[in-house]
Amino acid sequence: MSSRSSRSAGSDGDRPKASMTAHQALRAKKQAEIESRAIQNRIEYFKREEEKIWKDLDAVRRQANKIEDGRGRVTEKKMVGQMLQEAKVKTVVENRQKARLIREETESHKSQSAAELRRAKALAGEARKREAMEAAQKKRMVEAQERLRNTERAVAIQRAQLEAKLRTSKEQADRLASLREEHESEKRVAEDEVIAVESRLPELEREEQIWLQRLQNSRIVTQSVLDELETSLGTGTQVTSLLKTKPGSRLDVLCSPGKAPHPMEDTFEEEPLDVQEKAD
C-alpha cells in the first residue's frame, strides 16, 4: 500500500499542470477523492487492526494475569491446605494427648471409685453379717424362749392330762365297783326271782293243764254249738261263717299229742269260752 501511494504520487508529480482540461480536472478530482477515501479506509482499517491487536494484547495480558493469579491462588491454597493439614495433625495429636490424659484420669477415677466401692461393699457386707448374726442370735433366743414356754405348756398339759386320766381312772374304778355291786345285787335278785319262779313252776304247770283241759272242753262245746247252729240256721249264714273263721290253729298245736306246752306261752284266746257262756 505504501508503494501504491508513492507511485500515484510520482505519477501526479510527473503530470503536466497547464495543459489539463476541465474534464480531465474533474476526472483527476474524482480520482483524487477515490484515492483519498481509499487511503482513509485503509487508515481506519489499520486503526481497527491496531485496536484489535491491543485488545488481544490486553486479553492476553488479562489471561496471563488470571493465570498468574490462579497459580498464586493455587499456591496459596496449597499453602493454606498444608497449614490446615498441619493444624489438623497438630489438633489430632493434641486431642489424642487430651484423650489419653482424660482416659488416664478416668481410669484412675474408676480405679479409685472401684476401690472405694469395694471398701464400701466390704463394710456393708460386714455390717450385714453383724446384723445377720445379731438377728440369728435374737432369733435363737426367741426360739429358745418359745421352746421353753412350749415345754412348760406341754408339761402343764401333760400334768393336766395325767391328772385327768387319774381322775378318769378313779371315776371308772368307782363306776366299775358300783356297777359290780349293782350287778351282784341284780344277780342276787335275779337268782332269788329264778328260785321263786322255779318254785312256782309246778303250780303253774298244774294250772296250765287245768286251763288247757278247759280250753279243749270249750272247743268241743263250741264245735257242738256250731253244728247245732248250722243245723238250725243253715251253712250260709253270717254267724256260722264268722264262727268258722275264728282262729283255732294255736289250740290245735298245743293240744296235739307229743307237744308239751311251754310254761311261758302267752294266754290263749278265750272266744270259745265266750261262746260257751253264751250257749249256757
Side-chain angles (χ1 to χ4, degrees):
M1 295 177 66
S2 59
S3 61
R4 188 182 296 171
S5 61
S6 63
R7 281 197 303 271
S8 62
S11 61
D12 289 337
D14 293 338
R15 189 180 299 158
K17 297 179 180 179
S19 61
M20 189 181 290
T21 61
H23 181 68
Q24 290 179 349
L26 183 61
R27 288 182 62 187
K29 182 181 178 180
K30 289 182 179 180
Q31 186 64 33
E33 290 177 353
I34 289 167
E35 288 181 358
S36 63
R37 282 197 298 273
I39 291 169
Q40 288 178 356
N41 290 332
R42 284 195 295 275
I43 290 170
E44 293 294 331
Y45 174 74
F46 291 154
K47 287 181 178 180
R48 288 194 300 273
E49 290 296 327
E50 186 179 4
E51 288 178 357
K52 286 181 180 180
I53 290 169
W54 283 108
K55 286 181 179 179
D56 292 335
L57 289 174
D58 290 335
V60 170
R61 193 180 297 113
R62 286 195 299 273
Q63 189 68 28
N65 291 330
K66 286 182 180 180
I67 291 170
E68 290 295 330
D69 292 337
R71 288 178 180 175
R73 283 196 297 273
V74 169
T75 305
E76 186 178 359
K77 187 174 180 180
K78 287 182 179 179
M79 291 177 67
V80 170
Q82 188 176 0
M83 291 174 65
L84 291 174
Q85 186 67 25
E86 291 177 357
K88 186 176 180 180
V89 171
K90 186 178 180 180
T91 304
V92 169
V93 172
E94 290 177 355
N95 291 332
R96 287 180 179 176
Q97 291 178 356
K98 289 180 180 179
R100 183 172 55 79
L101 293 174
I102 292 170
R103 186 167 57 254
E104 291 177 355
E105 291 178 357
T106 305
E107 289 177 355
S108 64
H109 285 305
K110 283 184 178 180
S111 61
Q112 292 177 0
S113 300
E116 292 177 357
L117 184 60
R118 286 193 296 272
R119 286 195 296 272
K121 285 184 176 180
L123 294 174
E126 292 178 357
R128 285 196 297 272
K129 286 181 180 179
R130 286 195 299 272
E131 291 177 357
M133 291 175 65
E134 292 176 357
Q137 188 175 1
K138 289 181 180 179
K139 185 177 180 181
R140 285 194 295 271
M141 291 177 64
V142 171
E143 288 178 352
Q145 292 176 359
E146 187 67 24
R147 284 195 299 271
L148 181 60
R149 286 195 295 270
N150 292 332
T151 304
E152 292 176 353
R153 192 180 300 113
V155 169
I157 291 170
Q158 288 178 359
R159 186 183 298 112
Q161 290 178 353
L162 183 59
E163 291 175 356
K165 286 182 179 180
L166 290 174
R167 285 195 302 270
T168 305
S169 298
K170 186 177 180 181
E171 290 176 357
Q172 288 179 355
D174 295 338
R175 192 180 302 110
L176 287 173
S178 62
L179 290 173
R180 192 176 293 110
E181 290 177 358
E182 291 178 0
H183 181 68
E184 291 294 332
S185 62
E186 290 178 357
K187 181 180 179 182
R188 286 193 296 271
V189 171
E191 288 177 354
D192 295 337
E193 290 178 353
V194 168
I195 292 169
V197 170
E198 287 180 352
S199 64
R200 289 182 58 192
L201 279 177
E203 184 180 356
L204 291 173
E205 288 177 355
R206 287 193 298 272
E207 187 177 358
E208 182 183 10
Q209 291 296 328
I210 292 169
W211 283 104
L212 181 61
Q213 188 66 35
R214 290 184 62 182
L215 284 174
Q216 290 177 356
N217 295 330
S218 298
R219 184 172 183 185
I220 293 168
V221 172
T222 303
Q223 187 67 33
S224 63
V225 171
L226 180 61
D227 294 336
E228 292 177 359
L229 287 174
E230 286 181 355
T231 303
S232 62
L233 298 176
T235 58
T237 60
Q238 185 177 2
V239 177
T240 55
S241 299
L242 180 62
L243 290 173
K244 286 181 179 180
T245 56
K246 290 295 182 178
S249 60
R250 193 169 185 183
L251 184 60
D252 295 335
V253 172
L254 290 173
C255 296
S256 61
K259 175 68 176 179
H262 195 275
M264 300 301 292
E265 288 288 343
D266 295 335
T267 57
F268 299 104
E269 297 180 357
E270 297 184 357
E271 291 181 356
L273 294 176
D274 297 337
V275 175
Q276 184 180 4
E277 291 176 358
K278 290 179 181 180
D280 293 339

